[in-house]
Amino acid sequence: MNGNHVPCIAREVDVLPVSAAALELLFKEQQRFLNYFFDNLEYLAVEEFCKACLACKGAILFTGIGKSGFIAQKVCQTLVSTGTKAVFLNPTDALHGDIGILSREDLLVLVSKSGATDELLRLVPYARAKGARLVAVTSVRGSRLDAACDKSVHLPLERELCPWGLAPVTSAATQMLFGDTVAIALMQAKQMTQDEYAMNHPSGRIGKRLMLRVADVMLTGSAVPRVPPHAAVMAVLGELTAKGVGCVLVVSGGGALLGTFTDGDLRRALQSRGAQVMSTPVEDVMHRTPRTCTSSAKAIDAMQDMELPPRKVAFFPVVDEGLLVGIVTLHGLVTAGL
Protein backbone atom coordinates (compact mmCIF):
# COMPACT_ATOMS: atom_id res chain seq x y z
CA MET A 1 0.00 0.00 0.00
CA ASN A 2 1.23 3.47 -0.86
CA GLY A 3 2.32 5.20 2.32
CA ASN A 4 0.52 8.36 1.23
CA HIS A 5 -2.82 6.63 0.90
CA VAL A 6 -5.34 7.29 3.64
CA PRO A 7 -8.01 4.58 3.76
CA CYS A 8 -11.64 5.67 3.80
CA ILE A 9 -13.27 4.73 7.06
CA ALA A 10 -17.03 4.29 6.96
CA ARG A 11 -18.74 6.21 9.76
CA GLU A 12 -21.77 4.67 11.30
CA VAL A 13 -24.54 7.12 12.10
CA ASP A 14 -27.06 6.33 14.78
CA VAL A 15 -30.60 6.66 13.44
CA LEU A 16 -33.54 6.70 15.79
CA PRO A 17 -36.56 4.69 14.69
CA VAL A 18 -39.51 6.66 13.29
CA SER A 19 -42.96 5.75 14.58
CA ALA A 20 -46.45 6.96 13.89
CA ALA A 21 -46.80 7.96 17.54
CA ALA A 22 -43.62 10.04 17.45
CA LEU A 23 -44.69 11.70 14.21
CA GLU A 24 -48.08 12.51 15.67
CA LEU A 25 -46.43 14.25 18.60
CA LEU A 26 -44.20 16.22 16.24
CA PHE A 27 -47.06 17.37 14.04
CA LYS A 28 -49.15 18.30 17.07
CA GLU A 29 -46.26 20.34 18.42
CA GLN A 30 -46.01 22.20 15.13
CA GLN A 31 -49.78 22.74 15.27
CA ARG A 32 -49.38 24.26 18.74
CA PHE A 33 -46.67 26.61 17.49
CA LEU A 34 -48.86 27.66 14.56
CA ASN A 35 -51.79 28.20 16.91
CA TYR A 36 -49.54 30.54 18.88
CA PHE A 37 -49.01 32.48 15.65
CA PHE A 38 -52.76 32.74 14.98
CA ASP A 39 -53.61 33.60 18.58
CA ASN A 40 -51.06 36.41 18.80
CA LEU A 41 -51.13 37.92 15.32
CA GLU A 42 -51.97 41.63 15.41
CA TYR A 43 -54.66 41.98 12.78
CA LEU A 44 -54.70 45.80 12.83
CA ALA A 45 -51.10 45.77 11.61
CA VAL A 46 -52.05 43.29 8.91
CA GLU A 47 -54.98 45.53 7.96
CA GLU A 48 -52.63 48.50 7.59
CA PHE A 49 -50.32 46.41 5.43
CA CYS A 50 -53.20 45.32 3.17
CA LYS A 51 -54.38 48.92 2.81
CA ALA A 52 -50.85 49.98 1.87
CA CYS A 53 -50.82 47.25 -0.80
CA LEU A 54 -54.18 48.39 -2.17
CA ALA A 55 -53.06 52.03 -2.19
CA CYS A 56 -49.81 51.22 -3.98
CA LYS A 57 -49.84 52.81 -7.44
CA GLY A 58 -46.83 50.89 -8.65
CA ALA A 59 -45.75 47.33 -7.93
CA ILE A 60 -45.28 45.50 -4.64
CA LEU A 61 -41.74 44.18 -4.43
CA PHE A 62 -40.82 41.44 -1.98
CA THR A 63 -37.25 40.74 -0.96
CA GLY A 64 -35.58 38.28 1.36
CA ILE A 65 -32.54 36.07 1.66
CA GLY A 66 -32.28 32.31 2.07
CA LYS A 67 -35.52 30.53 2.94
CA SER A 68 -37.28 33.86 3.50
CA GLY A 69 -36.28 34.75 -0.04
CA PHE A 70 -37.79 31.57 -1.48
CA ILE A 71 -41.01 32.24 0.41
CA ALA A 72 -41.04 35.85 -0.78
CA GLN A 73 -40.79 34.56 -4.37
CA LYS A 74 -43.67 32.14 -3.81
CA VAL A 75 -45.85 34.85 -2.25
CA CYS A 76 -45.15 37.07 -5.27
CA GLN A 77 -46.41 34.28 -7.54
CA THR A 78 -49.60 33.98 -5.49
CA LEU A 79 -50.13 37.75 -5.60
CA VAL A 80 -49.61 37.96 -9.36
CA SER A 81 -51.95 35.04 -10.05
CA THR A 82 -54.66 36.65 -7.91
CA GLY A 83 -54.53 40.07 -9.53
CA THR A 84 -51.86 42.04 -7.64
CA LYS A 85 -48.69 43.26 -9.36
CA ALA A 86 -45.77 41.83 -7.42
CA VAL A 87 -42.09 41.25 -8.16
CA PHE A 88 -39.33 39.49 -6.26
CA LEU A 89 -36.17 41.58 -5.84
CA ASN A 90 -33.01 39.69 -4.91
CA PRO A 91 -31.34 41.92 -2.31
CA THR A 92 -27.80 41.11 -3.46
CA ASP A 93 -28.60 41.71 -7.13
CA ALA A 94 -30.44 44.87 -6.14
CA LEU A 95 -27.17 46.41 -4.97
CA HIS A 96 -25.61 45.59 -8.32
CA GLY A 97 -28.14 47.21 -10.63
CA ASP A 98 -31.49 45.52 -10.07
CA ILE A 99 -32.63 48.28 -7.71
CA GLY A 100 -33.27 50.22 -10.90
CA ILE A 101 -36.68 48.55 -11.03
CA LEU A 102 -37.71 50.32 -7.81
CA SER A 103 -39.61 53.64 -7.99
CA ARG A 104 -41.30 56.04 -5.61
CA GLU A 105 -44.69 54.51 -6.49
CA ASP A 106 -43.64 51.06 -5.29
CA LEU A 107 -43.91 49.25 -1.98
CA LEU A 108 -40.90 47.20 -0.87
CA VAL A 109 -41.62 44.37 1.60
CA LEU A 110 -38.53 43.05 3.39
CA VAL A 111 -39.06 39.55 4.82
CA SER A 112 -36.71 38.36 7.57
CA LYS A 113 -37.23 36.15 10.59
CA SER A 114 -34.66 37.97 12.71
CA GLY A 115 -34.95 41.45 11.25
CA ALA A 116 -31.16 41.56 11.37
CA THR A 117 -30.31 40.22 7.92
CA ASP A 118 -27.27 42.15 6.68
CA GLU A 119 -28.23 42.01 3.01
CA LEU A 120 -31.62 43.60 3.73
CA LEU A 121 -30.21 46.23 6.08
CA ARG A 122 -27.69 47.27 3.45
CA LEU A 123 -30.49 47.59 0.91
CA VAL A 124 -32.69 49.87 3.06
CA PRO A 125 -30.95 53.26 2.56
CA TYR A 126 -30.72 52.80 -1.19
CA ALA A 127 -34.37 51.71 -1.46
CA ARG A 128 -35.36 54.73 0.60
CA ALA A 129 -33.33 56.98 -1.69
CA LYS A 130 -35.42 55.65 -4.60
CA GLY A 131 -38.52 56.94 -2.80
CA ALA A 132 -40.24 53.59 -2.21
CA ARG A 133 -42.19 52.88 0.97
CA LEU A 134 -40.66 50.12 3.09
CA VAL A 135 -42.41 47.44 5.17
CA ALA A 136 -40.58 44.96 7.40
CA VAL A 137 -42.08 41.52 8.02
CA THR A 138 -40.22 39.89 10.90
CA SER A 139 -40.64 37.59 13.89
CA VAL A 140 -38.50 39.59 16.31
CA ARG A 141 -39.95 42.73 17.83
CA GLY A 142 -37.85 45.87 17.87
CA SER A 143 -35.42 44.57 15.31
CA ARG A 144 -33.11 46.84 13.34
CA LEU A 145 -35.14 46.17 10.21
CA ASP A 146 -38.38 47.18 11.95
CA ALA A 147 -36.79 50.46 13.02
CA ALA A 148 -35.42 51.15 9.55
CA CYS A 149 -38.73 50.72 7.69
CA ASP A 150 -41.86 52.87 7.46
CA LYS A 151 -44.11 50.09 8.72
CA SER A 152 -43.64 46.65 10.21
CA VAL A 153 -45.68 43.49 10.63
CA HIS A 154 -44.78 41.12 13.45
CA LEU A 155 -45.25 37.40 12.81
CA PRO A 156 -45.51 35.84 16.31
CA LEU A 157 -43.15 32.91 16.84
CA GLU A 158 -43.09 30.87 20.07
CA ARG A 159 -40.15 28.81 18.84
CA GLU A 160 -39.01 26.71 15.90
CA LEU A 161 -40.02 23.06 15.72
CA CYS A 162 -36.34 22.18 15.29
CA PRO A 163 -35.11 20.66 18.60
CA TRP A 164 -32.29 23.22 18.71
CA GLY A 165 -34.57 26.07 17.64
CA LEU A 166 -32.33 26.72 14.63
CA ALA A 167 -33.91 25.36 11.43
CA PRO A 168 -36.50 27.98 10.33
CA VAL A 169 -39.41 25.62 9.77
CA THR A 170 -42.14 27.14 11.93
CA SER A 171 -41.15 30.71 11.04
CA ALA A 172 -41.13 29.78 7.35
CA ALA A 173 -44.64 28.33 7.69
CA THR A 174 -45.91 31.54 9.29
CA GLN A 175 -44.32 33.66 6.56
CA MET A 176 -46.08 31.58 3.93
CA LEU A 177 -49.39 31.72 5.80
CA PHE A 178 -49.12 35.48 6.14
CA GLY A 179 -48.19 36.18 2.52
CA ASP A 180 -50.69 33.86 0.88
CA THR A 181 -53.56 34.92 3.15
CA VAL A 182 -52.84 38.58 2.40
CA ALA A 183 -52.92 37.72 -1.31
CA ILE A 184 -56.44 36.32 -0.94
CA ALA A 185 -57.51 39.33 1.13
CA LEU A 186 -56.33 41.63 -1.67
CA MET A 187 -58.06 39.47 -4.28
CA GLN A 188 -61.34 39.75 -2.38
CA ALA A 189 -60.91 43.48 -1.83
CA LYS A 190 -60.46 43.95 -5.58
CA GLN A 191 -63.52 41.76 -6.21
CA MET A 192 -61.63 39.60 -8.64
CA THR A 193 -63.99 37.42 -10.65
CA GLN A 194 -63.54 33.76 -11.47
CA ASP A 195 -63.14 34.65 -15.15
CA GLU A 196 -60.40 37.17 -14.32
CA TYR A 197 -58.63 34.52 -12.27
CA ALA A 198 -58.87 32.11 -15.18
CA MET A 199 -57.28 34.68 -17.48
CA ASN A 200 -54.15 34.36 -15.35
CA HIS A 201 -54.17 30.55 -15.61
CA PRO A 202 -54.87 29.85 -19.31
CA SER A 203 -53.01 26.53 -19.40
CA GLY A 204 -54.43 25.12 -16.19
CA ARG A 205 -57.60 23.08 -15.92
CA ILE A 206 -59.39 25.95 -14.18
CA GLY A 207 -58.45 28.36 -16.94
CA LYS A 208 -59.48 25.98 -19.68
CA ARG A 209 -62.85 25.33 -18.07
CA LEU A 210 -63.58 29.03 -17.73
CA MET A 211 -62.04 30.36 -20.94
CA LEU A 212 -62.27 27.76 -23.71
CA ARG A 213 -65.21 28.19 -26.06
CA VAL A 214 -66.69 25.58 -28.34
CA ALA A 215 -65.11 27.48 -31.25
CA ASP A 216 -61.66 26.73 -29.78
CA VAL A 217 -62.10 22.94 -29.77
CA MET A 218 -64.63 22.10 -32.48
CA LEU A 219 -63.87 20.38 -35.79
CA THR A 220 -64.45 22.53 -38.86
CA GLY A 221 -64.13 22.41 -42.64
CA SER A 222 -63.27 19.07 -44.19
CA ALA A 223 -62.99 17.44 -40.76
CA VAL A 224 -66.77 17.72 -40.32
CA PRO A 225 -68.63 14.58 -41.53
CA ARG A 226 -71.43 16.07 -43.66
CA VAL A 227 -73.68 14.52 -46.29
CA PRO A 228 -76.68 15.76 -48.34
CA PRO A 229 -80.16 14.47 -47.38
CA HIS A 230 -80.66 12.50 -50.60
CA ALA A 231 -77.46 10.44 -50.21
CA ALA A 232 -78.11 6.70 -49.89
CA VAL A 233 -77.14 5.09 -46.60
CA MET A 234 -74.57 2.95 -48.46
CA ALA A 235 -72.84 6.10 -49.71
CA VAL A 236 -73.04 7.67 -46.24
CA LEU A 237 -71.07 4.79 -44.69
CA GLY A 238 -67.86 5.98 -46.35
CA GLU A 239 -68.14 9.42 -44.69
CA LEU A 240 -69.19 7.82 -41.40
CA THR A 241 -66.05 5.65 -41.39
CA ALA A 242 -63.59 8.17 -42.82
CA LYS A 243 -64.21 11.00 -40.38
CA GLY A 244 -64.10 8.77 -37.30
CA VAL A 245 -66.46 10.70 -35.04
CA GLY A 246 -69.24 8.13 -34.94
CA CYS A 247 -71.76 10.18 -36.91
CA VAL A 248 -72.51 12.17 -40.03
CA LEU A 249 -74.39 15.45 -40.18
CA VAL A 250 -77.12 15.75 -42.75
CA VAL A 251 -76.91 19.24 -44.24
CA SER A 252 -79.02 21.12 -46.80
CA GLY A 253 -77.53 22.80 -49.84
CA GLY A 254 -77.75 26.09 -47.99
CA GLY A 255 -75.75 24.81 -45.03
CA ALA A 256 -78.60 24.23 -42.58
CA LEU A 257 -78.45 21.21 -40.27
CA LEU A 258 -81.30 18.81 -41.08
CA GLY A 259 -80.38 15.91 -38.83
CA THR A 260 -77.75 13.42 -37.72
CA PHE A 261 -77.01 9.80 -38.53
CA THR A 262 -74.93 7.66 -36.16
CA ASP A 263 -73.60 4.12 -35.84
CA GLY A 264 -76.55 3.44 -33.55
CA ASP A 265 -79.02 4.79 -36.12
CA LEU A 266 -77.51 2.42 -38.70
CA ARG A 267 -77.94 -0.61 -36.42
CA ARG A 268 -81.54 0.31 -35.61
CA ALA A 269 -82.34 0.88 -39.29
CA LEU A 270 -80.89 -2.50 -40.24
CA GLN A 271 -82.96 -4.20 -37.53
CA SER A 272 -86.20 -2.56 -38.65
CA ARG A 273 -85.74 -2.44 -42.43
CA GLY A 274 -83.20 -5.08 -43.25
CA ALA A 275 -80.55 -4.86 -45.96
CA GLN A 276 -82.77 -2.67 -48.18
CA VAL A 277 -81.98 0.26 -45.91
CA MET A 278 -78.62 0.57 -47.65
CA SER A 279 -80.33 2.12 -50.70
CA THR A 280 -82.61 4.35 -48.60
CA PRO A 281 -81.94 8.14 -48.54
CA VAL A 282 -80.33 9.05 -45.25
CA GLU A 283 -83.00 11.69 -44.59
CA ASP A 284 -85.50 8.85 -44.14
CA VAL A 285 -83.59 7.29 -41.26
CA MET A 286 -81.75 10.25 -39.72
CA HIS A 287 -82.45 11.77 -36.28
CA ARG A 288 -84.31 15.00 -37.05
CA THR A 289 -84.07 16.81 -33.71
CA PRO A 290 -80.46 16.52 -32.55
CA ARG A 291 -79.19 18.52 -29.62
CA THR A 292 -76.85 21.29 -30.72
CA CYS A 293 -74.74 24.12 -29.32
CA THR A 294 -73.31 27.40 -30.56
CA SER A 295 -69.67 28.16 -31.21
CA SER A 296 -69.68 30.88 -28.54
CA ALA A 297 -70.82 28.51 -25.76
CA LYS A 298 -68.28 27.58 -23.10
CA ALA A 299 -66.64 24.27 -23.91
CA ILE A 300 -67.18 23.00 -20.37
CA ASP A 301 -70.92 23.76 -20.64
CA ALA A 302 -71.10 21.75 -23.86
CA MET A 303 -69.27 18.88 -22.19
CA GLN A 304 -71.65 18.87 -19.22
CA ASP A 305 -74.71 19.13 -21.50
CA MET A 306 -73.56 16.08 -23.45
CA GLU A 307 -73.79 14.05 -20.26
CA LEU A 308 -77.27 15.20 -19.24
CA PRO A 309 -79.97 12.54 -18.91
CA PRO A 310 -82.07 11.01 -20.24
CA ARG A 311 -79.85 10.54 -23.32
CA LYS A 312 -76.12 11.12 -23.17
CA VAL A 313 -74.45 11.98 -26.46
CA ALA A 314 -70.85 11.97 -27.67
CA PHE A 315 -71.06 14.99 -30.00
CA PHE A 316 -72.89 18.25 -30.66
CA PRO A 317 -73.37 19.78 -34.09
CA VAL A 318 -72.34 23.43 -33.75
CA VAL A 319 -74.96 25.74 -35.25
CA ASP A 320 -74.74 29.53 -35.49
CA GLU A 321 -77.70 31.51 -36.80
CA GLY A 322 -79.24 28.40 -38.32
CA LEU A 323 -76.13 27.28 -40.19
CA LEU A 324 -73.81 24.38 -39.38
CA VAL A 325 -70.30 25.65 -38.59
CA GLY A 326 -68.70 22.56 -37.05
CA ILE A 327 -68.95 19.64 -34.67
CA VAL A 328 -67.62 19.24 -31.14
CA THR A 329 -67.02 15.79 -29.68
CA LEU A 330 -66.74 14.52 -26.13
CA HIS A 331 -63.39 13.00 -27.03
CA GLY A 332 -62.15 16.35 -28.28
CA LEU A 333 -63.28 18.11 -25.10
CA VAL A 334 -61.55 15.55 -22.89
CA THR A 335 -58.38 15.79 -25.00
CA ALA A 336 -58.45 19.58 -24.56
CA GLY A 337 -57.96 19.04 -20.84
CA LEU A 338 -61.43 19.81 -19.54
Side-chain angles (χ1 to χ4, degrees), residues 16-41:
L16 293 175
V18 174
S19 68
L23 288 170
E24 182 181 4
L25 288 174
L26 201 59
F27 275 97
K28 284 187 174 180
E29 189 173 21
Q30 178 74 310
Q31 182 182 31
R32 181 170 65 82
F33 293 152
L34 291 178
N35 285 339
Y36 177 88
F37 163 76
F38 290 119
D39 292 341
N40 293 277
L41 184 62

mmCIF file of all heavy atoms in Angstrom, residues 16-41:
data_model
loop_
_atom_site.group_PDB
_atom_site.id
_atom_site.type_symbol
_atom_site.label_atom_id
_atom_site.label_comp_id
_atom_site.label_asym_id
_atom_site.label_seq_id
_atom_site.Cartn_x
_atom_site.Cartn_y
_atom_site.Cartn_z
ATOM 1 N N LEU A 16 -32.437 7.083 14.910
ATOM 2 C CA LEU A 16 -33.535 6.699 15.785
ATOM 3 C C LEU A 16 -34.701 6.174 14.956
ATOM 4 O O LEU A 16 -34.951 6.667 13.854
ATOM 5 C CB LEU A 16 -33.987 7.903 16.615
ATOM 6 C CG LEU A 16 -32.984 8.427 17.650
ATOM 7 C CD1 LEU A 16 -33.539 9.694 18.294
ATOM 8 C CD2 LEU A 16 -32.704 7.381 18.712
ATOM 9 N N PRO A 17 -35.410 5.203 15.433
ATOM 10 C CA PRO A 17 -36.565 4.688 14.690
ATOM 11 C C PRO A 17 -37.667 5.733 14.616
ATOM 12 O O PRO A 17 -37.848 6.545 15.524
ATOM 13 C CB PRO A 17 -37.010 3.478 15.518
ATOM 14 C CG PRO A 17 -36.495 3.752 16.898
ATOM 15 C CD PRO A 17 -35.210 4.499 16.718
ATOM 16 N N VAL A 18 -38.384 5.743 13.485
ATOM 17 C CA VAL A 18 -39.512 6.659 13.287
ATOM 18 C C VAL A 18 -40.802 5.885 13.495
ATOM 19 O O VAL A 18 -40.982 4.804 12.933
ATOM 20 C CB VAL A 18 -39.492 7.263 11.868
ATOM 21 C CG1 VAL A 18 -40.741 8.094 11.633
ATOM 22 C CG2 VAL A 18 -38.242 8.107 11.672
ATOM 23 N N SER A 19 -41.683 6.422 14.323
ATOM 24 C CA SER A 19 -42.955 5.745 14.583
ATOM 25 C C SER A 19 -44.106 6.701 14.341
ATOM 26 O O SER A 19 -43.932 7.934 14.382
ATOM 27 C CB SER A 19 -43.010 5.255 16.030
ATOM 28 O OG SER A 19 -43.070 6.363 16.930
ATOM 29 N N ALA A 20 -45.266 6.138 14.095
ATOM 30 C CA ALA A 20 -46.454 6.962 13.886
ATOM 31 C C ALA A 20 -46.746 7.806 15.115
ATOM 32 O O ALA A 20 -47.136 8.973 15.021
ATOM 33 C CB ALA A 20 -47.649 6.074 13.550
ATOM 34 N N ALA A 21 -46.530 7.228 16.303
ATOM 35 C CA ALA A 21 -46.796 7.958 17.540
ATOM 36 C C ALA A 21 -45.859 9.147 17.690
ATOM 37 O O ALA A 21 -46.276 10.255 18.074
ATOM 38 C CB ALA A 21 -46.650 7.017 18.733
ATOM 39 N N ALA A 22 -44.584 8.942 17.353
ATOM 40 C CA ALA A 22 -43.622 10.040 17.448
ATOM 41 C C ALA A 22 -43.936 11.134 16.435
ATOM 42 O O ALA A 22 -43.823 12.335 16.723
ATOM 43 C CB ALA A 22 -42.209 9.505 17.241
ATOM 44 N N LEU A 23 -44.333 10.724 15.238
ATOM 45 C CA LEU A 23 -44.689 11.696 14.210
ATOM 46 C C LEU A 23 -45.921 12.497 14.613
ATOM 47 O O LEU A 23 -45.998 13.709 14.384
ATOM 48 C CB LEU A 23 -44.937 10.982 12.880
ATOM 49 C CG LEU A 23 -43.690 10.436 12.185
ATOM 50 C CD1 LEU A 23 -44.090 9.540 11.020
ATOM 51 C CD2 LEU A 23 -42.806 11.585 11.684
ATOM 52 N N GLU A 24 -46.881 11.820 15.231
ATOM 53 C CA GLU A 24 -48.084 12.513 15.675
ATOM 54 C C GLU A 24 -47.741 13.592 16.697
ATOM 55 O O GLU A 24 -48.249 14.719 16.642
ATOM 56 C CB GLU A 24 -49.080 11.522 16.272
ATOM 57 C CG GLU A 24 -50.393 12.189 16.713
ATOM 58 C CD GLU A 24 -51.367 11.207 17.322
ATOM 59 O OE1 GLU A 24 -51.006 10.024 17.481
ATOM 60 O OE2 GLU A 24 -52.496 11.625 17.649
ATOM 61 N N LEU A 25 -46.847 13.271 17.608
ATOM 62 C CA LEU A 25 -46.428 14.248 18.603
ATOM 63 C C LEU A 25 -45.746 15.445 17.949
ATOM 64 O O LEU A 25 -45.960 16.602 18.326
ATOM 65 C CB LEU A 25 -45.476 13.595 19.613
ATOM 66 C CG LEU A 25 -46.105 12.609 20.604
ATOM 67 C CD1 LEU A 25 -45.019 11.938 21.442
ATOM 68 C CD2 LEU A 25 -47.104 13.328 21.515
ATOM 69 N N LEU A 26 -44.928 15.157 16.928
ATOM 70 C CA LEU A 26 -44.199 16.223 16.242
ATOM 71 C C LEU A 26 -45.153 17.146 15.491
ATOM 72 O O LEU A 26 -45.042 18.374 15.562
ATOM 73 C CB LEU A 26 -43.183 15.604 15.287
ATOM 74 C CG LEU A 26 -42.013 16.490 14.844
ATOM 75 C CD1 LEU A 26 -41.204 16.965 16.035
ATOM 76 C CD2 LEU A 26 -41.130 15.720 13.867
ATOM 77 N N PHE A 27 -46.094 16.553 14.789
ATOM 78 C CA PHE A 27 -47.059 17.369 14.042
ATOM 79 C C PHE A 27 -47.949 18.164 14.994
ATOM 80 O O PHE A 27 -48.285 19.325 14.714
ATOM 81 C CB PHE A 27 -47.906 16.489 13.123
ATOM 82 C CG PHE A 27 -47.266 16.206 11.799
ATOM 83 C CD1 PHE A 27 -46.567 15.026 11.582
ATOM 84 C CD2 PHE A 27 -47.345 17.134 10.757
ATOM 85 C CE1 PHE A 27 -45.958 14.776 10.358
ATOM 86 C CE2 PHE A 27 -46.743 16.886 9.535
ATOM 87 C CZ PHE A 27 -46.041 15.698 9.340
ATOM 88 N N LYS A 28 -48.316 17.577 16.114
ATOM 89 C CA LYS A 28 -49.154 18.304 17.068
ATOM 90 C C LYS A 28 -48.383 19.459 17.714
ATOM 91 O O LYS A 28 -48.960 20.507 18.027
ATOM 92 C CB LYS A 28 -49.685 17.348 18.130
ATOM 93 C CG LYS A 28 -50.819 16.465 17.619
ATOM 94 C CD LYS A 28 -51.451 15.637 18.726
ATOM 95 C CE LYS A 28 -52.662 14.880 18.195
ATOM 96 N NZ LYS A 28 -53.310 14.051 19.257
ATOM 97 N N GLU A 29 -47.073 19.253 17.881
ATOM 98 C CA GLU A 29 -46.257 20.343 18.425
ATOM 99 C C GLU A 29 -46.180 21.494 17.431
ATOM 100 O O GLU A 29 -46.295 22.660 17.798
ATOM 101 C CB GLU A 29 -44.858 19.835 18.771
ATOM 102 C CG GLU A 29 -44.032 20.861 19.536
ATOM 103 C CD GLU A 29 -42.715 20.288 20.027
ATOM 104 O OE1 GLU A 29 -42.260 19.258 19.463
ATOM 105 O OE2 GLU A 29 -42.135 20.861 20.961
ATOM 106 N N GLN A 30 -46.015 21.144 16.156
ATOM 107 C CA GLN A 30 -46.013 22.197 15.127
ATOM 108 C C GLN A 30 -47.361 22.903 15.087
ATOM 109 O O GLN A 30 -47.440 24.131 14.929
ATOM 110 C CB GLN A 30 -45.678 21.593 13.754
ATOM 111 C CG GLN A 30 -45.687 22.589 12.598
ATOM 112 C CD GLN A 30 -44.482 23.506 12.594
ATOM 113 O OE1 GLN A 30 -44.155 24.108 13.615
ATOM 114 N NE2 GLN A 30 -43.836 23.641 11.441
ATOM 115 N N GLN A 31 -48.440 22.141 15.237
ATOM 116 C CA GLN A 31 -49.777 22.743 15.275
ATOM 117 C C GLN A 31 -49.893 23.726 16.435
ATOM 118 O O GLN A 31 -50.464 24.808 16.296
ATOM 119 C CB GLN A 31 -50.832 21.639 15.409
ATOM 120 C CG GLN A 31 -52.264 22.169 15.417
ATOM 121 C CD GLN A 31 -53.283 21.052 15.600
ATOM 122 O OE1 GLN A 31 -53.013 20.050 16.255
ATOM 123 N NE2 GLN A 31 -54.445 21.207 15.010
ATOM 124 N N ARG A 32 -49.324 23.358 17.573
ATOM 125 C CA ARG A 32 -49.378 24.257 18.738
ATOM 126 C C ARG A 32 -48.610 25.544 18.463
ATOM 127 O O ARG A 32 -49.067 26.641 18.792
ATOM 128 C CB ARG A 32 -48.801 23.543 19.966
ATOM 129 C CG ARG A 32 -48.840 24.390 21.236
ATOM 130 C CD ARG A 32 -48.482 23.561 22.460
ATOM 131 N NE ARG A 32 -47.110 23.078 22.428
ATOM 132 C CZ ARG A 32 -46.052 23.807 22.793
ATOM 133 N NH1 ARG A 32 -46.225 25.064 23.187
ATOM 134 N NH2 ARG A 32 -44.847 23.283 22.752
ATOM 135 N N PHE A 33 -47.451 25.412 17.813
ATOM 136 C CA PHE A 33 -46.667 26.605 17.489
ATOM 137 C C PHE A 33 -47.408 27.496 16.492
ATOM 138 O O PHE A 33 -47.359 28.731 16.582
ATOM 139 C CB PHE A 33 -45.305 26.215 16.925
ATOM 140 C CG PHE A 33 -44.400 25.541 17.929
ATOM 141 C CD1 PHE A 33 -43.435 24.640 17.517
ATOM 142 C CD2 PHE A 33 -44.526 25.803 19.290
ATOM 143 C CE1 PHE A 33 -42.599 24.016 18.422
ATOM 144 C CE2 PHE A 33 -43.695 25.184 20.217
ATOM 145 C CZ PHE A 33 -42.728 24.285 19.793
ATOM 146 N N LEU A 34 -48.102 26.873 15.545
ATOM 147 C CA LEU A 34 -48.862 27.661 14.564
ATOM 148 C C LEU A 34 -50.079 28.308 15.226
ATOM 149 O O LEU A 34 -50.453 29.431 14.865
ATOM 150 C CB LEU A 34 -49.282 26.773 13.393
ATOM 151 C CG LEU A 34 -48.140 26.288 12.490
ATOM 152 C CD1 LEU A 34 -48.677 25.371 11.395
ATOM 153 C CD2 LEU A 34 -47.392 27.460 11.864
ATOM 154 N N ASN A 35 -50.682 27.599 16.176
ATOM 155 C CA ASN A 35 -51.794 28.199 16.913
ATOM 156 C C ASN A 35 -51.327 29.430 17.690
ATOM 157 O O ASN A 35 -52.063 30.413 17.831
ATOM 158 C CB ASN A 35 -52.419 27.178 17.867
ATOM 159 C CG ASN A 35 -53.278 26.155 17.138
ATOM 160 O OD1 ASN A 35 -53.728 26.405 16.021
ATOM 161 N ND2 ASN A 35 -53.504 25.015 17.759
ATOM 162 N N TYR A 36 -50.109 29.372 18.194
ATOM 163 C CA TYR A 36 -49.540 30.540 18.881
ATOM 164 C C TYR A 36 -49.470 31.718 17.913
ATOM 165 O O TYR A 36 -49.779 32.854 18.275
ATOM 166 C CB TYR A 36 -48.149 30.199 19.415
ATOM 167 C CG TYR A 36 -47.457 31.369 20.078
ATOM 168 C CD1 TYR A 36 -47.644 31.634 21.445
ATOM 169 C CD2 TYR A 36 -46.614 32.218 19.354
ATOM 170 C CE1 TYR A 36 -47.024 32.705 22.052
ATOM 171 C CE2 TYR A 36 -45.985 33.294 19.954
ATOM 172 C CZ TYR A 36 -46.190 33.540 21.302
ATOM 173 O OH TYR A 36 -45.586 34.612 21.900
ATOM 174 N N PHE A 37 -49.068 31.433 16.683
ATOM 175 C CA PHE A 37 -49.014 32.483 15.655
ATOM 176 C C PHE A 37 -50.396 33.088 15.432
ATOM 177 O O PHE A 37 -50.567 34.313 15.458
ATOM 178 C CB PHE A 37 -48.469 31.900 14.351
ATOM 179 C CG PHE A 37 -48.729 32.740 13.135
ATOM 180 C CD1 PHE A 37 -47.994 33.890 12.888
ATOM 181 C CD2 PHE A 37 -49.727 32.382 12.225
ATOM 182 C CE1 PHE A 37 -48.240 34.664 11.765
ATOM 183 C CE2 PHE A 37 -49.978 33.149 11.113
ATOM 184 C CZ PHE A 37 -49.232 34.297 10.874
ATOM 185 N N PHE A 38 -51.402 32.237 15.239
ATOM 186 C CA PHE A 38 -52.757 32.741 14.984
ATOM 187 C C PHE A 38 -53.311 33.502 16.185
ATOM 188 O O PHE A 38 -53.955 34.543 16.041
ATOM 189 C CB PHE A 38 -53.696 31.583 14.630
ATOM 190 C CG PHE A 38 -53.429 30.968 13.284
ATOM 191 C CD1 PHE A 38 -53.076 29.634 13.170
ATOM 192 C CD2 PHE A 38 -53.535 31.720 12.129
ATOM 193 C CE1 PHE A 38 -52.833 29.069 11.926
ATOM 194 C CE2 PHE A 38 -53.297 31.166 10.873
ATOM 195 C CZ PHE A 38 -52.939 29.831 10.783
ATOM 196 N N ASP A 39 -53.048 32.994 17.370
ATOM 197 C CA ASP A 39 -53.607 33.604 18.581
ATOM 198 C C ASP A 39 -52.989 34.962 18.894
ATOM 199 O O ASP A 39 -53.608 35.794 19.572
ATOM 200 C CB ASP A 39 -53.422 32.670 19.778
ATOM 201 C CG ASP A 39 -54.250 31.402 19.678
ATOM 202 O OD1 ASP A 39 -55.225 31.405 18.892
ATOM 203 O OD2 ASP A 39 -53.916 30.409 20.356
ATOM 204 N N ASN A 40 -51.774 35.197 18.428
ATOM 205 C CA ASN A 40 -51.061 36.412 18.800
ATOM 206 C C ASN A 40 -50.821 37.378 17.641
ATOM 207 O O ASN A 40 -50.200 38.426 17.831
ATOM 208 C CB ASN A 40 -49.722 36.056 19.449
ATOM 209 C CG ASN A 40 -49.894 35.372 20.793
ATOM 210 O OD1 ASN A 40 -50.073 36.019 21.812
ATOM 211 N ND2 ASN A 40 -49.853 34.037 20.783
ATOM 212 N N LEU A 41 -51.303 37.031 16.468
ATOM 213 C CA LEU A 41 -51.130 37.920 15.315
ATOM 214 C C LEU A 41 -51.934 39.204 15.518
ATOM 215 O O LEU A 41 -53.098 39.163 15.929
ATOM 216 C CB LEU A 41 -51.586 37.210 14.036
ATOM 217 C CG LEU A 41 -51.385 37.959 12.723
ATOM 218 C CD1 LEU A 41 -49.901 38.217 12.468
ATOM 219 C CD2 LEU A 41 -51.993 37.166 11.560
#
